Amino acid sequence: MDESEYTGEDERYILQFKAATGFTVVLEFKDLKTMEENQKKIESADLECQRLAKFSVNFDQADLFMDMRSPECIAQFDLDDWI
């Protein structure tokens, strides 16, 4: 499924990027607008970034996964520290 095919209530807004530290970071957002804003910021820092259709903390691999739908995660995560 490519990005243009995302539809339905089960749509997830997930970005994966390789941070300046070399870590693989995965962020899940509550809405498309917030995800796109963060994607632009990551790409403007010349970092590789891609949208994922799905991600499971039990089966997929990332050095850091943050659920940015959670106010606690939003308070703890600063994207500028990773780009």
Side-chain angles (χ1 to χ4, degrees), residues 33-47:
K33 180 183 177 201
T34 305
M35 184 202 70
E36 288 177 338
E37 289 169 354
N38 282 272
Q39 183 174 7
K40 286 178 186 174
K41 192 170 188 177
I42 293 164
E43 289 173 344
S44 70
D46 292 327
L47 297 175

Side-chain angles (χ1 to χ4, degrees), residues 10-47:
D10 61 345
E11 184 170 5
R12 294 177 69 188
Y13 306 100
I14 307 168
L15 287 180
Q16 176 179 301
F17 69 99
K18 187 72 99 170
T21 60
F23 292 121
T24 299
V25 178
V26 175
L27 306 173
E28 183 163 1
F29 299 94
K30 64 182 176 177
D31 59 57
L32 181 63
K33 180 183 177 201
T34 305
M35 184 202 70
E36 288 177 338
E37 289 169 354
N38 282 272
Q39 183 174 7
K40 286 178 186 174
K41 192 170 188 177
I42 293 164
E43 289 173 344
S44 70
D46 292 327
L47 297 175

Side-chain angles (χ1 to χ4, degrees), residues 34-73:
T34 305
M35 184 202 70
E36 288 177 338
E37 289 169 354
N38 282 272
Q39 183 174 7
K40 286 178 186 174
K41 192 170 188 177
I42 293 164
E43 289 173 344
S44 70
D46 292 327
L47 297 175
E48 213 175 285
C49 181
Q50 67 179 358
R51 181 171 180 189
L52 304 178
K54 60 183 180 170
F55 183 84
S56 169
V57 294
N58 295 326
F59 301 107
D60 297 313
Q61 193 165 15
D63 296 306
L64 175 68
F65 172 79
M66 296 295 286
D67 185 346
M68 301 302 282
R69 299 170 298 174
S70 161
E72 292 85 10
C73 286

Side-chain angles (χ1 to χ4, degrees), residues 1-7:
M1 174 185 294
D2 74 22
E3 293 177 32
S4 63
E5 296 179 45
Y6 285 90
T7 60

